[in-house]
Structures are given as structure tokens and as C-alpha cells.
């Protein structure tokens, strides 16, 4: 999911939206990848990301938190069929 300020929503709704994505990924044991463009709104940086990162940190025992590069390396190391992922 792209991390972006949904301008029609208030800050609490934005935070709830992203927390629900994280919770669904945990519940379904699926990948949850967040990305953002560095030019996003200051409001998102100051008001939404801190709560979101705090929530992710509170779930760190339930999820694998990493970068795309490290995740790809992990997949290649643990890949049973021998095909490399770029």
C-alpha cells in the first residue's frame, strides 16, 4: 500500500486505515509492503507516520520488519525451488 495522506479523511481515520492493513496481513499471514514518495505531505510525516511506526513496533514479535532488499535476499536464501528473485 502506498503511504499517503487520504486528504478526505481525518488523521485518526488515516491511522486506522493503515493499522487495519497491518492487522489483516498478520491475520492472513501475508505480505504487507508499504512504500511512499519522499515528497509526501508534512502532515503525514508529523501526524500519521509516528503512530503507524509505533504500532508496527508494538507488533514486532508477530511480523518480519525489513527493507525490500533484505526481504528479497531472505527469499533467495530460503527459496526451495532454486529460482532467484531480483
Amino acid at each position: 500500500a502506498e503511504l499517503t495522506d487520504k486528504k478526505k479523511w481525518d488523521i485518526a481515520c488515516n491511522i486506522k486505515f493503515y493499522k487495519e492493513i497491518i492487522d489483516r496481513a498478520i491475520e492472513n499471514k501475508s505480505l504487507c509492503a508499504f512504500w511512499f514518495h519522499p515528497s509526501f505531505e508534512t502532515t503525514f510525516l508529523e501526524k500519521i507516520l509516528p503512530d503507524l511506526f509505533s504500532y508496527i513496533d508494538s507488533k514486532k514479535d508477530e511480523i518480519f520488519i525489513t527493507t525490500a532488499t533484505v526481504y528479497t535476499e531472505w527469499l533467495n536464501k530460503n527459496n526451495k525451488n532454486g529460482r532467484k528473485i531480483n
Side-chain angles (χ1 to χ4, degrees):
E2 179 182 8
L3 294 175
T4 184
D5 185 5
K6 313 274 189 256
K7 295 191 186 322
K8 293 182 181 180
W9 300 354
D10 64 17
I11 291 169
C13 286
N14 271 276
I15 293 167
K16 182 178 182 221
F17 173 74
Y18 292 112
K19 285 180 177 182
E20 287 175 352
I21 291 172
I22 294 164
D23 290 341
R24 280 196 313 266
I26 292 169
E27 181 181 329
N28 296 311
K29 298 180 176 17
S30 61
L31 176 67
C32 175
F34 287 125
W35 66 276
F36 56 88
H37 194 276
S39 65
F40 60 32
E41 299 287 328
T42 305
T43 301
F44 194 84
L45 179 65
E46 295 175 349
K47 305 288 185 185
I48 298 169
L49 276 184
D51 279 34
L52 184 58
F53 287 156
S54 177
Y55 189 70
I56 290 168
D57 186 58
S58 77
K59 301 286 186 176
K60 66 184 171 202
D61 293 337
E62 302 174 63
I63 56 178
F64 178 35
I65 304 168
T66 191
T67 63
T69 300
V70 173
Y71 182 61
T72 302
E73 290 168 354
W74 180 87
L75 287 173
N76 285 328
K77 180 180 174 187
N78 294 287
N79 189 348
K80 305 278 190 249
N81 66 15
R83 291 190 329 219
K84 291 286 185 189
I85 300 166
N86 295 323

